[in-house]
Amino acid sequence: MKGMDDPPSGDDPPKDFPVQKKSPKLCGSNYPLSIAFIVVNEFCERFSYYGMRAVLTLYFISFFHWDENLSTAVYHAFSALCYFTPVIGAIMADSWLGKYKTIIYLSIVYVVGHLIKSVGAIPSLGNQAVHVVLSMVGLFLIALGTGGIKPCVSAFGGDQFEEEHTSERSKFFSVFYLSINAGSLISTFVTPVLRGDVKCFGEDCYALAFGVPAALMVLALVVFIAGSGLYRKTPPQGNVLLEVCKCIGFAIKNRLKNRSRQIPRRDHWLDWASEQYSKQLIGEVKMVTRVLFLFLPLPMFWALFDQQGSRWTLQATKMNADFGIYVLQPDQMQFLNPLLILVFIPIFDLGLYPLINMCKFNFTPIRKMATGMILAGMAFGLAAIVEVKINETDMPQLVPKESLIQVLNLAKNPVQVTIQDQNLFQQPVEAFQNPDEYSHLILNGEQQSLRFILQHQGSSLAFNYTVKEKSVYSLIVFEAEGSLSSHLITDLETKPENGLAAVRFINGLSQDVNLTIDSKPFISVQRNYGVSGYSLVERDTYDNGKCITETGEFTLDLGLIDFGASYTVVITNVSGGAVQTWKSEDIKANNVHMAWQLPQYLLISAGEVMFSITGLAFSYSQSPASMKSVLQAGWLLTVAVGNTLVLVVAQAAPMAQWAEFVLFTVLLFAVCIIFSIMGYFYVSVDPEDLEEKEEKRETPNRGNMISLVTQKTKL
C-alpha cells in the first residue's frame, strides 16, 4: 500500500560526486551504521502521517460537524497537496540545500504542522473558527513537510552505500519499504483506538489521536539528527526535472516561432530544442515523454484507491462493527490494506506470476496494470452493493407534504387509532407493541391540523395536533387518572451518525426521575409521561444505570444499545430495587456487518499490487537512468490528480453514495479500456540500446548545449 510513496532507487551515485568518508558498519557487515537511523526515522514518519490521516475524515464529521461531501473534499484536497509538494522538495534538495538539510528543515515544518493540528483539536481552545483555522494551517504544513521529504529520504539512504555494495543497497530498500508498511499498519490500527476508546474533554479524544503522531514525528526528527555525524552527504547537483521542463518549454517556444512553411519540418517536436540542448538530453526526454503519455489515464485508479480513508470509512460508520471478541472502530478498517499488501506481495511474486508464466500466458506489465484497474473497479462495485444493503435500515426520504408517524400504545389494552383523511392503522395497536415501521402521512400543505380519534374499551376520544411536512412523529397513547390521553412527540429524522445510538426516555411513574447511564447524567424527566430529549451514546450493554426518584435510587438496565439505532425507553414501574422498562427501537440498528467490507479491501489491495508496483517497475525500465526522478514526479502527480478528481465529484456532483460508487466503477472501467488500447500500441524499448544508437549519431557537443548529469534524488 505505502510503497508507492517512497519507491526506492538502486541507481549508483553520479561518478562526479566528491569522495565521501566511509561510515562505520553494522556488526562487521557492509551495511553503513547510518542506515539504522534512516530506517527508524522513516518508520516514525510514516506512523505519524498515516496515523493522523486515518482519523481525519471522522474528525471533520464529528468535531467540525461538516457534512460528508465537504469532509471528503477537504480530505482529498489534503491528500492531493501531499503529492504535489514532492516536486518542491526535490527542487530544494537538488538545486539549493542538498538532501540532508532539506530533510531537516522540512521535518521541522512537519513537526510544527503536527503540533498546530493537535492544539486545534482541543475543544476548550477557542470557538469552531479557531479550530478550523488551526487545523487547516496544520494540515498545510504537514502536506509541505511529508511531501517535501518524500523524494529525499529513500535517495539519501541509497547515498550511504559505497558504489561496490549494490546488493546491500538493494536489500536496504527492501527493509526501507518494510518500515513504511509497518509504520502504516501499526498507526492505522492504533490511532483510531486512541480516538474512540480514550475519552478526553467529555468526547472522542482527537487531541490525543493527533498528539501521538506528532510525538512520533518529533522522535523521527531527533533520531535523524542523532545520526548526523555518520551520514555521507552529497552536495546539490542540479535538478533533472527542471532541465527537462526547460527543454520541453524551449522546444514548444521555438516551434511556435518557426511556423513558416519555408522552414524544414523536423522528425519530432522535441527536435526543435536542438539549438540549445544536446541530442542526448533530447533523446532521453523523448523516451520519458512516451512513458508519461501512458500515465494520462492513471489518476482514475488513485481516485478510487484513496477513498479508503474517506468514503469507505464513512461507509463503515453505518455498519455493525462487533466482531465478538473485539469491536472495531470504523476508521480501523484501513489497516487491512497495508496488512494485505504485505501478504499479497510474496504470494504474487512467488506464486501467482510464476503460475501464469507456466501457463504460457504473456502477462505483460500493461496487462498487469489493466488487471489492477479492473480489480479496483470491482471493489467499488462491491462497495455499491454493500451501500444499498446499508440503506435498507435508513429512514425513508421525506418529500414535501409528507410526514411519518408511529403509535406507541402505553395503555393496558389495545387502542384503535383513526386519523382524519388518512387510511392508516387498520388494526388496533396492542399494548406495548413495538412498531415495525413508520406510516406515511399525506398532508395538504406545509403543515396541517389533523384530528386523531382513539377508541379504547368502548369509549372514543378525539385530539387535534398540528403536523408539519418532512417531520417524523410518535403518537404516545397512555392512561392518566383513569382516562385515555395522548402526546404527539417529534422523533429523529435520520439515523445517528458515526455508529452512535440515540436514546430518549418517557417517565410513566407518578414522580419525577433523574437518570444516569455510564456516568452520563440525563436531564430530569417529569412525572406522568414526561419525555426527555435524545442523548447520543456509544454502542454497549448498559446494565448499571441509575434511576433516582423521590423514594430512592434504583438500578436501570437498558440491555444492548446497538450501532446506529434510535430507542424510546419507557419507565413503567419500580419493583424489587430495580426500574421496570419497555424499549422501542424506533430506527433499526445497523444490521450489515463490517466484515462485508473485507472483499472490497481484498480486491483493491490486490489491484494495488498489480497496478502500483508493476507500474513503477515498468516505467523505470522504459527510461534512462538519468530520468528516474522525472518519472517519479509524473507518478506522484497522477496520485495528486486522482485525489483532485474525488474532490471535484464530491463538491460538484453530489449524489446517493451507492450511485457515486457505481459512477467511479464505470469511469475506471472506461479508463481501463483506453489504457489497454494505448498499451496495445505501445512498443517497449531498452533505454540503453536507444542511448547507444543516439551516441553513434551524435556530433560533438557545442559549447552552449546543456548536457545531462545523472541525479540521485527521487521524487
Side-chain angles (χ1 to χ4, degrees):
M1 163 182 165
K2 313 303 170 196
M4 70 173 183
D5 290 338
D6 303 281
S9 166
D11 299 340
D12 293 336
K15 296 182 179 180
D16 57 348
F17 277 13
V19 178
Q20 300 286 332
K21 64 178 182 180
K22 293 187 177 182
S23 60
K25 306 297 182 183
L26 278 170
C27 303
S29 66
N30 290 324
Y31 293 94
L33 181 60
S34 56
I35 66 169
F37 294 89
I38 296 173
V39 169
V40 173
N41 163 269
E42 184 66 12
F43 170 84
C44 294
E45 188 273 326
R46 292 289 86 186
F47 186 108
S48 74
Y49 173 74
Y50 286 108
M52 178 277 304
R53 202 178 75 161
V55 301
L56 196 56
T57 299
L58 294 188
Y59 174 69
F60 295 148
I61 294 280
S62 302
F63 198 84
F64 292 160
H65 305 291
W66 290 349
D67 61 39
E68 292 187 359
N69 287 331
L70 178 58
S71 301
T72 298
V74 176
Y75 174 90
H76 286 283
F78 166 72
S79 298
L81 188 60
C82 290
Y83 287 94
F84 279 121
T85 51
V87 176
I88 299 173
I91 294 173
M92 288 176 60
D94 286 340
S95 304
W96 179 26
L97 296 174
K99 301 183 194 70
Y100 175 75
K101 288 184 178 179
T102 299
I103 295 171
I104 293 290
Y105 295 159
L106 290 182
S107 292
I108 293 173
V109 172
Y110 201 163
V111 168
V112 172
H114 266 302
L115 295 177
I116 293 175
K117 186 78 185 69
S118 303
V119 171
I122 299 175
S124 59
L125 186 69
N127 55 25
Q128 180 165 335
V130 173
H131 295 146
V132 171
V133 170
L134 289 175
S135 295
M136 295 304 106
V137 171
L139 288 176
F140 176 79
L141 295 178
I142 290 171
L144 181 60
T146 188
I149 67 175
K150 195 185 298 293
C152 303
V153 179
S154 61
F156 187 69
D159 288 348
Q160 306 309 304
F161 291 86
E162 294 155 22
E163 293 184 20
E164 63 269 20
H165 297 149
T166 54
S167 63
E168 286 83 359
R169 180 189 293 139
S170 178
K171 292 177 182 177
F172 157 74
F173 283 125
S174 297
V175 175
F176 188 84
Y177 177 83
L178 179 63
S179 71
I180 295 170
N181 283 275
S184 168
L185 174 63
I186 296 172
S187 65
T188 51
F189 190 87
V190 170
T191 51
V193 174
L194 299 177
R195 172 197 63 79
D197 292 352
V198 179
K199 301 300 176 185
C200 58
F201 307 102
E203 54 189 54
D204 284 356
C205 200
Y206 285 100
L208 180 63
F210 292 136
V212 170
L216 265 291
M217 190 57 221
V218 172
L219 179 60
L221 178 58
V222 170
V223 168
F224 187 77
I225 294 175
S228 177
L230 303 174
Y231 298 139
R232 300 174 78 233
K233 303 168 187 174
T234 57
Q237 297 290 317
N239 189 270
V240 179
L241 180 60
L242 289 177
E243 292 301 318
V244 171
C245 292
K246 290 178 182 178
C247 178
I248 293 174
F250 181 82
I252 295 173
K253 182 180 178 181
N254 197 26
R255 177 68 184 90
L256 294 176
K257 283 183 178 179
N258 297 278
R259 287 176 292 179
S260 174
R261 295 182 179 179
Q262 299 177 354
I263 300 176
R265 298 184 61 183
R266 302 188 183 183
D267 294 337
H268 194 280
W269 63 273
L270 279 169
D271 291 333
W272 289 95
S274 59
E275 282 80 3
Q276 186 168 336
Y277 293 89
S278 67
K279 289 185 178 179
Q280 179 188 354
L281 175 59
I282 294 172
E284 291 175 337
V285 173
K286 288 179 183 178
M287 285 185 260
V288 83
T289 51
R290 295 175 69 248
V291 181
L292 291 176
F293 178 71
L294 275 181
F295 281 5
L296 291 178
L298 304 190
M300 187 52 65
F301 175 88
W302 300 118
L304 276 69
F305 179 83
D306 276 344
Q307 290 187 58
Q308 293 174 75
S310 57
R311 293 302 199 193
W312 284 16
T313 296
L314 293 174
Q315 184 184 70
T317 65
K318 298 177 285 187
M319 304 178 77
N320 186 336
D322 186 3
F323 284 82
I325 59 175
Y326 188 77
V327 177
L328 276 181
Q329 299 291 339
D331 36 1
Q332 271 183 304
M333 284 297 286
Q334 299 173 64
F335 91 96
L336 284 175
N337 183 257
L339 176 64
L340 290 171
I341 290 300
L342 293 176
V343 172
F344 281 158
I345 287 177
I347 291 177
F348 280 42
D349 287 343
L350 303 177
L352 180 62
Y353 294 156
L355 183 62
I356 292 175
N357 290 335
M358 289 174 59
C359 296
K360 307 299 182 184
F361 179 73
N362 185 19
F363 204 30
T364 63
I366 297 292
R367 290 174 178 172
K368 288 180 182 177
M369 294 176 69
T371 303
M373 290 182 175
I374 293 172
L375 292 175
M378 292 171 60
F380 264 65
L382 289 180
I385 295 173
V386 170
E387 191 70 23
V388 170
K389 296 297 293 182
I390 289 172
N391 291 343
E392 292 178 358
T393 62
D394 278 352
M395 292 289 287
Q397 291 292 323
L398 295 173
V399 298
K401 298 184 179 181
E402 181 185 74
S403 291
L404 299 176
I405 190 169
Q406 66 175 2
V407 176
L408 299 181
N409 180 11
L410 309 183
K412 297 178 181 178
N413 297 291
V415 175
Q416 179 66 56
V417 179
T418 304
I419 305 177
Q420 171 191 341
D421 301 329
Q422 308 289 327
N423 187 24
L424 304 176
F425 309 116
Q426 302 298 317
Q427 299 297 323
V429 180
E430 298 293 332
F432 294 95
Q433 174 183 326
N434 203 334
D436 290 332
E437 59 184 13
Y438 284 89
S439 299
H440 290 259
L441 282 173
I442 306 302
L443 310 179
N444 58 17
E446 293 183 0
Q447 64 179 31
Q448 182 180 352
S449 179
L450 296 176
R451 188 173 182 82
F452 292 74
I453 301 174
L454 307 181
Q455 295 176 326
H456 175 254
Q457 292 185 321
S459 63
S460 179
L461 297 171
F463 302 88
N464 291 323
Y465 294 109
T466 299
V467 177
K468 297 180 179 180
E469 67 176 0
K470 295 185 176 181
S471 299
V472 183
Y473 297 96
S474 285
L475 179 67
I476 309 299
V477 180
F478 56 92
E479 292 181 78
E481 300 179 353
S483 64
L484 205 63
S485 187
S486 67
H487 292 322
L488 187 67
I489 59 177
T490 304
D491 296 357
L492 289 181
E493 298 174 8
T494 58
K495 289 177 73 71
E497 296 180 341
N498 302 330
L500 297 175
V503 183
R504 69 178 173 186
F505 291 88
I506 297 177
N507 180 14
L509 304 180
S510 59
Q511 51 188 324
D512 296 343
V513 298
N514 290 298
L515 304 171
T516 301
I517 295 179
D518 195 26
S519 302
K520 296 179 180 178
F522 284 79
I523 61 173
S524 297
V525 188
Q526 294 182 354
R527 69 189 70 190
N528 298 328
Y529 297 94
V531 182
S532 74
Y534 281 103
S535 295
L536 296 178
V537 297
E538 293 188 348
R539 188 259 191 192
D540 204 348
T541 299
Y542 294 92
D543 53 8
N544 60 348
K546 301 296 181 183
C547 176
I548 302 174
T549 69
E550 297 171 0
T551 58
E553 181 177 303
F554 304 92
T555 302
L556 179 64
D557 185 358
L558 300 181
L560 177 64
I561 303 297
D562 213 351
F563 296 105
S566 173
Y567 298 94
T568 297
V569 179
V570 182
I571 301 173
T572 59
N573 195 10
V574 175
S575 64
V579 174
Q580 304 300 314
T581 62
W582 174 73
K583 184 171 64 176
S584 168
E585 189 179 54
D586 303 330
I587 299 178
K588 305 302 180 185
N590 300 343
N591 61 5
V592 179
H593 200 276
M594 202 180 287
W596 285 106
Q597 278 196 324
L598 181 59
Q600 62 201 55
Y601 272 99
L602 285 167
L603 286 173
I604 205 162
S605 299
E608 185 198 359
V609 173
M610 287 191 166
F611 179 88
S612 179
I613 297 175
T614 304
L616 278 172
F618 171 74
S619 58
Y620 275 26
S621 71
Q622 296 297 293
S623 67
S626 59
M627 290 291 164
K628 298 292 192 282
S629 61
V630 179
L631 280 178
Q632 190 58 25
W635 184 266
L636 293 176
L637 288 177
T638 65
V639 183
V641 174
N643 278 276
T644 304
L645 291 175
V646 183
L647 185 160
V648 171
V649 171
Q651 286 297 293
M655 61 188 75
Q657 190 54 65
W658 68 267
E660 185 179 287
F661 286 151
V662 171
L663 172 65
F664 277 110
T665 299
V666 172
L667 289 176
L668 185 58
F669 283 159
V671 166
C672 179
I673 294 173
I674 295 172
F675 176 74
S676 299
I677 295 172
M678 293 169 63
Y680 178 80
F681 291 102
Y682 181 85
V683 179
S684 296
V685 298
D686 186 343
E688 294 183 1
D689 292 343
L690 290 181
E691 287 177 354
E692 289 177 3
K693 293 178 181 178
E694 198 67 46
E695 287 174 1
K696 291 179 181 178
R697 292 198 213 104
E698 184 155 10
T699 56
N701 289 339
R702 293 189 293 267
N704 63 338
M705 287 187 178
I706 299 175
S707 58
L708 193 64
V709 179
T710 303
Q711 302 298 326
K712 276 295 297 173
T713 298
K714 298 300 170 194
L715 283 147

